[in-house]
Amino acid sequence: MTVTDSTAAEAAGGSSGVPRFYKGAVSTTDINVGDRQKTAQRLLRSTADRSYDGELDIDWDAALVDGAPWVPYHRVTLFGSTHWDGLTDEQKQQLSMHEAVAVLSYGIFAEIGLSLNLMRSVLRNPGFVDDHIRYALAEVAEETRHSTMFGRLINKSGLRPYRRPKAVMKILRLVGFVPMGPSAYAGTLLIEEVLDRLQREGMMDETVQPHFRQLMKIHVLEEARHITYAREEMVRSIAARGPISNAAHRLAFALMVNFVQEEIIHPNVYKSVGMRPMKGMLAARRSPQHSATAQFMAGPLLDFAYDAGMIKGAVTTRLYRMTGALSPELRAKIEADRR
């Protein structure tokens, strides 16, 4: 079984890739969601009908294509800067590979965190064996396959994974002590939707390394279900809490948005083109493309978060502005609310 380009096109804009929200009893600012068990049943059917295995559905025996970029060049962090203009074609390809490996390395780290939260939700749920829990466990299985797929492609690249600092790895062990709630599901979406946006674009680019394109197709198709699940759980979680609790979760999510987008690309990637990590980070941050890419990656998520009631208040909105990820349209909505 392989992921065809027509299937990939459907994932990029078709019915399986766009979460839908149904009228129901639970609502927030502008969003209504349906019955939790019915959503779980629909996602379980989709999981049974459309699941892939990176071990089998990627041709690992095929050689890498010499000189092929690993991500579209306009998404490489130095693109648009004078430093990018000074790189040779070979250096541009190398940097794209190192950044792809950094994303895959971060993906493994993030998938582990997401799976820990899913397992916590299983333990906390009184149903324990209902369809909602069955889907949560099915998602853990998919996240595990994704991590093994990411690891195999890192090995194929010949590079070492970009591991998080020891302090960050220790923080992951504290996930079990972080209160579950809107910010936990919003944090899940922050990781899944940001990477999803990049992958939807990259998998349609025929110049990109074929192994990575196939991986992105598989990941996008399966992550569409995970995004639906997390979006609806976030909405339900907001509706179940009071204003003080939700204000705390809004602040936590605003801090996450500032942290995660900068954390995805490990600063050591710039060593591959002879730049010091700090110099590379500053150059990427100052690139004219930085804000456009931030808005591209997080824009739809932040629009959804605004409609769900996660973006309000002077402190949190200021934190969001610092990310550069707010679209002009969303900025205008926020300003109108202030007036």
Side-chain angles (χ1 to χ4, degrees):
M1 178 168 58
T2 59
V3 186
T4 64
D5 282 339
S6 61
T7 304
E10 181 182 343
S15 60
S16 67
V18 181
R20 287 183 171 83
F21 297 87
Y22 301 95
K23 295 291 182 182
V26 181
S27 65
T28 58
T29 308
D30 292 317
I31 301 172
N32 294 310
V33 297
D35 179 76
R36 175 184 268 176
Q37 296 303 320
K38 289 182 179 178
T39 296
Q41 291 163 11
R42 178 168 55 88
L43 294 175
L44 282 167
R45 287 194 298 270
S46 176
T47 301
D49 291 341
R50 288 196 154 182
S51 290
Y52 300 89
D53 188 341
E55 293 293 319
L56 303 176
D57 297 316
I58 297 176
D59 186 1
W60 296 109
D61 293 330
L64 297 173
V65 176
D66 287 340
W70 283 62
V71 296
Y73 279 153
H74 67 283
R75 296 301 175 199
V76 177
T77 56
L78 290 182
F79 183 85
S81 69
T82 55
H83 298 282
W84 176 260
D85 295 337
L87 298 180
T88 66
D89 290 344
E90 182 180 359
Q91 286 178 316
K92 291 176 180 178
Q93 191 271 344
Q94 280 293 302
L95 182 58
S96 77
M97 179 170 67
H98 279 262
E99 292 199 2
V101 168
V103 170
L104 293 171
S105 302
Y106 184 82
I108 295 172
F109 172 77
E111 302 277 27
I112 292 169
L114 299 182
S115 295
L116 286 172
N117 269 337
L118 284 167
M119 296 303 288
R120 288 174 64 202
S121 71
V122 170
L123 292 173
R124 291 161 57 95
N125 193 295
F128 209 63
V129 293
D130 61 20
D131 289 330
H132 177 76
I133 291 304
R134 287 176 57 220
Y135 178 71
L137 292 171
E139 185 171 325
V140 170
E142 286 188 328
E143 301 290 24
T144 303
R145 289 201 305 275
H146 295 166
S147 293
T148 58
M149 179 173 66
F150 294 170
R152 188 152 188 183
L153 187 54
I154 292 172
N155 289 338
K156 184 77 175 177
S157 75
L159 302 181
R160 294 175 62 85
Y162 283 94
R163 289 183 59 83
R164 316 328 293 171
K166 289 183 179 180
V168 176
M169 298 300 289
K170 288 180 179 179
I171 290 173
L172 184 62
R173 300 175 192 172
L174 302 177
V175 167
F177 297 98
V178 177
M180 291 291 289
S183 61
Y185 295 112
T188 295
L189 289 169
L190 178 60
I191 294 166
E192 291 182 336
E193 293 208 39
V194 163
L195 296 180
D196 184 76
R197 287 282 287 172
L198 292 172
Q199 291 172 346
R200 284 175 185 271
E201 180 184 56
M203 74 185 191
M204 304 304 291
D205 188 336
E206 295 184 358
T207 69
V208 168
Q209 191 68 241
H211 289 80
F212 201 20
R213 282 191 71 209
Q214 185 72 355
L215 177 147
M216 289 189 282
K217 292 175 189 177
I218 293 171
H219 197 238
V220 161
L221 285 166
E222 297 188 338
E223 285 297 312
R225 293 189 288 268
H226 304 178
I227 289 170
T228 298
Y229 177 86
R231 280 192 171 202
E232 292 205 8
E233 285 303 292
M234 187 183 89
V235 171
R236 293 188 184 99
S237 187
I238 292 170
R241 282 166 172 75
I244 295 176
S245 175
N246 279 330
H249 282 281
R250 286 197 301 269
L251 176 60
F253 181 51
L255 292 170
M256 288 182 204
V257 175
N258 274 271
F259 175 75
V260 168
Q261 288 198 110
E262 302 300 329
E263 177 70 10
I264 291 175
I265 301 298
H266 198 290
N268 285 346
V269 299
Y270 304 112
K271 291 181 179 179
S272 66
V273 292
M275 292 180 69
R276 295 189 303 276
M278 184 57 69
K279 182 178 179 180
M281 287 176 61
L282 291 174
R285 183 77 184 185
R286 293 168 180 165
S287 167
Q289 187 70 7
H290 181 270
S291 182
T293 297
Q295 290 178 28
F296 171 80
M297 291 193 301
L301 168 61
L302 295 182
D303 287 342
F304 173 79
Y306 171 82
D307 290 338
M310 285 293 281
I311 301 180
K312 60 173 66 174
V315 175
T316 54
T317 52
R318 184 179 294 275
L319 286 170
Y320 285 117
R321 288 193 186 94
M322 288 169 57
T323 68
L326 294 176
S327 67
E329 294 78 12
L330 186 52
R331 279 176 172 268
K333 287 181 181 179
I334 292 171
E335 288 299 321
D337 289 343
R338 291 180 63 188
R339 293 193 294 268

